[in-house]
Amino acid sequence: MERSLESGNMSRVQEFVLLGLSARLGMRGVLFAVFLTLYLLTLLENTLIVCLICSHSELRKPMYFFLGNLSCLEMCYVSVTMPSLLVGLWTGPFHISFTACMTQLFFFISLICTECTLLTSMAYDRYVAICRPLHYPLLMRPQVCLGLAMTSWLGGLLVSVVKTSCIASLSYCGPNVLNHFFCDVSPLLNLSCTHVALTEMVDFISAIVILWGSLLVAIASYVAIGRAVFRMSSAAARHKAFSTCASHLVVVGIFYAATLFIYARPSRIEAMDLNKVLSVIYTVVTPMCNPVIYCLRNREVQAAFRRTLYWSRG
């Protein structure tokens, strides 16, 4: 470990050491089994949703189009961070090259920005469906849905190119120990030996635009939905709409609360143990819960799943 701690004043760090989740040696095996199970379960859930949406024509609607995109994103998202978490639990602190670290950072930033805008698109879809049902076929026609999805994916890539380029251009002179289980923005900024004010400002502005911007649109959509629901004359319709939106709000609330706390502040975060706990929430827990809350509790998805099981048995 000592040889990994670079001590030269201006020698550029060629690799980092990821400490992983801080845990006693006896607990690592248990945590490894738990997180491996969660990882495989997340992949299974989201793969199932994508297969159901692609194979059943009744699920080819705007809402399920966005859910399919979200499931694809969750599989990529969890596969960016979970392998390094599992390696850290299996081996303890381990080395990762500078290039591999920046590559992981690039995909992580891209996917988290894409998820923000996808969740906003899904909130807008529900707003149009409940508040403007007569205009739904026009406002959520296939071209609009495809445009929203493409904007989410390409926007995430663009933001990631800018942020990752800024962070990769910084000088890292040592030490090279990252107190995290993957290469994240704040731990890297903490290790830089150059002035990081510009990079922090870019990071903060992008967080304001992407995180706060998408959150405000989502909140506005759900507020409008709430007002429309309370004006419904049918108690059954109110209960159905409210239960659906409430479950969506739980996922959106957990995701945004964790990400805003970590990323929407113009300073380096020192409480890294808290950072790691919150990171587990939105990199592990949220991708696993999203399919259950958004899809697997949905009657149309359940019916499609039952038909798939029936055909497989036949």
Side-chain angles (χ1 to χ4, degrees):
M1 178 69 70
E2 285 78 12
R3 71 178 179 83
S4 304
L5 302 177
E6 303 282 340
S7 57
N9 286 336
M10 292 306 292
S11 59
R12 186 173 179 83
V13 167
Q14 299 299 318
E15 64 178 17
F16 295 103
V17 178
L18 286 172
L19 293 183
L21 290 179
S22 300
R24 290 177 297 177
L25 187 60
M27 287 293 296
R28 285 181 184 168
V30 176
L31 291 176
F32 178 86
V34 169
F35 281 110
L36 179 60
T37 302
L38 294 178
Y39 180 41
L40 296 177
L41 181 60
T42 301
L43 294 179
L44 177 63
E45 289 174 344
N46 287 285
T47 300
L48 174 62
I49 288 172
V50 173
C51 291
L52 288 175
I53 292 173
C54 292
S55 60
H56 292 269
S57 57
E58 66 270 21
L59 298 182
R60 289 170 190 170
K61 301 175 182 178
M63 179 176 73
Y64 298 112
F65 171 77
F66 290 119
L67 288 171
N69 274 268
L70 183 64
S71 291
C72 290
L73 182 142
E74 299 290 20
M75 287 188 286
C76 298
Y77 186 45
V78 75
S79 296
V80 168
T81 57
M82 188 66 84
S84 60
L85 186 153
L86 293 173
V87 171
L89 289 173
W90 185 258
T91 67
F94 67 98
H95 298 261
I96 182 172
S97 69
F98 183 87
T99 302
C101 186
M102 291 302 132
T103 301
Q104 184 184 47
L105 178 68
F106 171 79
F107 284 110
F108 173 73
I109 293 174
S110 174
L111 292 170
I112 197 172
C113 291
T114 301
E115 179 159 7
C116 288
T117 47
L118 268 180
L119 290 174
T120 303
S121 298
M122 293 166 65
Y124 174 72
D125 171 71
R126 292 299 84 202
Y127 160 75
V128 176
I130 294 175
C131 300
R132 305 185 66 182
L134 298 179
H135 298 91
Y136 188 79
L138 175 64
L139 294 177
M140 298 306 297
R141 59 190 183 276
Q143 297 90 333
V144 174
C145 295
L146 182 60
L148 289 172
M150 291 295 292
T151 300
S152 298
W153 287 97
L154 294 177
L157 286 173
L158 179 61
V159 172
S160 185
V161 166
V162 175
K163 293 182 69 170
T164 306
S165 298
C166 290
I167 294 172
S169 65
L170 297 174
S171 295
Y172 300 92
C173 315
N176 66 342
V177 177
L178 290 171
N179 186 15
H180 213 311
F181 59 86
F182 70 97
C183 293
D184 201 0
V185 175
S186 293
L188 287 167
L189 292 180
N190 285 332
L191 292 186
S192 176
C193 55
T194 54
H195 195 55
V196 296
L198 178 60
T199 303
E200 286 185 337
M201 187 56 64
V202 170
D203 184 48
F204 180 62
I205 292 174
S206 62
I208 291 294
V209 174
I210 300 295
L211 293 179
W212 282 109
S214 58
L215 177 60
L216 290 176
V217 173
I219 290 175
S221 298
Y222 284 119
V223 168
I225 289 172
R227 293 173 61 185
V229 167
F230 285 116
R231 288 199 298 263
M232 291 178 177
S233 56
S234 170
R238 284 199 305 270
H239 176 74
K240 180 181 177 181
F242 179 76
S243 62
T244 301
C245 292
S247 61
H248 291 191
L249 280 171
V250 169
V251 173
V252 171
I254 293 173
F255 175 79
Y256 277 107
T259 52
L260 285 172
F261 181 85
I262 294 178
Y263 297 107
R265 297 191 292 172
S267 61
R268 288 176 275 190
I269 298 172
E270 302 297 337
M272 294 310 302
D273 288 335
L274 177 60
N275 191 1
K276 286 191 284 188
V277 171
L278 293 174
S279 296
V280 167
I281 292 175
Y282 68 81
T283 60
V284 179
V285 177
T286 302
M288 183 192 67
C289 294
N290 278 351
V292 177
I293 293 176
Y294 278 115
C295 274
L296 299 182
R297 292 175 67 251
N298 182 285
R299 290 183 179 178
E300 288 181 306
V301 175
Q302 290 175 356
F305 181 57
R306 284 193 293 268
R307 283 194 296 273
T308 300
L309 291 178
Y310 176 78
W311 293 338
S312 62
R313 290 173 182 172

